[in-house]
Amino acid sequence: MDFNEYRPEKQLKKEEESLSILTDELDKFIKGTYPLFSRDSLKLNEGQIRRLAHLLIEFAEDLYLDIGIWKS
């Protein structure tokens, strides 16, 4: 996923790099929880994990910076 796709134009490149790092870390964390799952049907494939991590980081960014996308 591309962080630039829906971002307000005023966002800085430095923030994008930080968000990419956070997404990578969340991706690893989600994968690390798999041994805790009681059923394989709860596990996501690689693309689904990446998308989930990306969406959660963008959600947190929106709330933190009060961009307002999720308020609508």
Side-chain angles (χ1 to χ4, degrees):
M1 292 186 106
D2 181 13
F3 273 110
N4 294 319
E5 191 171 353
Y6 301 108
R7 297 172 61 78
E9 291 191 24
K10 66 181 181 178
Q11 300 301 324
L12 304 173
K13 291 281 184 194
K14 182 179 176 184
E15 290 174 347
E16 292 174 23
E17 291 173 18
S18 297
L19 294 174
S20 181
I21 292 168
L22 287 172
T23 300
D24 292 342
E25 291 299 316
L26 184 56
D27 185 286
K28 290 176 193 174
F29 177 80
I30 293 170
K31 289 175 187 171
T33 63
Y34 276 8
L36 304 174
F37 292 172
S38 59
R39 306 224 186 269
D40 285 342
S41 61
L42 298 173
K43 296 180 181 179
L44 303 172
N45 67 38
E46 188 74 30
Q48 292 169 326
I49 294 170
R50 191 68 183 169
R51 182 169 294 180
L52 176 61
H54 186 94
L55 291 172
L56 289 172
I57 294 300
E58 283 201 343
F59 175 68
E61 176 197 25
D62 181 65
L63 294 178
Y64 181 75
L65 296 176
D66 198 27
I67 295 169
I69 296 169
W70 287 92
K71 284 182 182 177
S72 62

